[in-house]
Amino acid sequence: MASETSARRAAVYEQVVAGFGTVRVVPVDPAADAALIHSWVTQERARFWGMLDASPERVLEIYDYLDGLTTHHAYLVHRDDRPVALFQTYAPEADPVGECYDVRPGDFGVHLLVGPAAAGEGERGFTAALLSALLAYAFSDPAHTRIVAEPDARNEKVIGRMLRTGFTLGPEIDLPDKRARLLFLTRDDR
């Protein structure tokens, strides 16, 4: 089972968040985690992820491809040993987004998909606590001076969450698979 396997995997980052639990960022193992990722990305709530119709084989193919890149990385995020989110990072200059804005040295791209709630109901403050830990991870590398996000421009919920976290709005851009809204967060804006 992916949760048991990934829970034992070495974390690239770990943080105890008061009142929330231990957040661990663990590299995706495509073969071990594809079924779990597939179960998340094919739910209607993940429609902006763009994989609603993806087969399990396609999800494995995508994460195998990402696993072979040095500029893009995928992680399962655990809260107290239970996978709760998919977090992806990338070098904007090596991604289609880098063709749509002036990439600065130190820019670091992120994608986040929060998994479904365990009991079927959301927990107040969950995403804020999780995002805070993930941004701490992103900024733990001193070379990362600005976080870049580019959610689907129609995803008002995520854009609102990012703005409440301190991100500033950038322009809307056209990517191969979506119209996106750029968002930026510098170290000083945290």
Side-chain angles (χ1 to χ4, degrees):
M1 178 176 207
S3 61
E4 292 173 10
T5 303
S6 61
R8 290 190 296 260
R9 229 174 276 150
V12 296
Y13 182 79
E14 187 170 317
Q15 179 183 347
V16 176
V17 179
F20 185 74
T22 301
V23 174
R24 297 179 68 244
V25 180
V26 178
V28 163
D29 175 333
D33 301 331
L36 175 66
I37 294 169
H38 178 264
S39 75
W40 289 356
V41 299
T42 56
Q43 293 184 12
E44 175 58 28
R45 62 185 294 285
R47 67 190 170 284
F48 294 119
W49 204 253
M51 297 176 72
L52 287 180
D53 297 324
S55 68
E57 295 79 18
R58 179 68 180 135
V59 170
L60 176 58
E61 180 182 297
I62 289 166
Y63 285 89
D64 266 338
Y65 173 75
L66 284 175
D67 194 45
L69 299 176
T70 59
T71 56
H72 293 63
H73 303 285
Y75 305 96
L76 282 178
V77 182
H78 292 78
R79 176 191 190 191
D80 297 330
D81 295 328
R82 186 175 78 78
V84 295
L86 178 63
F87 186 59
Q88 294 178 194
T89 64
Y90 63 93
E93 67 274 11
D95 191 85
V97 74
E99 298 171 18
C100 299
Y101 83 101
D102 291 327
V103 177
R104 295 183 191 167
D107 280 1
F108 186 67
V110 300
H111 295 151
L112 174 64
L113 174 66
V114 176
E121 293 186 28
E123 176 184 339
R124 188 166 185 79
F126 178 89
T127 303
L130 192 66
L131 189 55
S132 175
L134 294 174
L135 292 174
Y137 165 59
F139 281 124
S140 69
D141 183 334
H144 302 157
T145 57
R146 184 171 72 158
I147 305 301
V148 178
E150 28 75 31
D152 189 293
R154 299 167 296 170
N155 195 342
E156 295 173 6
K157 186 175 180 181
V158 165
I159 292 169
R161 163 51 51 211
M162 301 303 249
L163 292 173
R164 288 189 303 278
T165 303
F167 281 78
T168 57
L169 282 177
E172 286 192 10
I173 59 172
D174 289 312
L175 293 172
D177 58 344
K178 67 181 177 184
R179 177 105 176 131
R181 169 65 81 171
L182 283 173
L183 293 148
F184 301 99
L185 179 71
T186 66
R187 285 182 187 279
D188 296 337
D189 293 336
R190 290 183 52 208

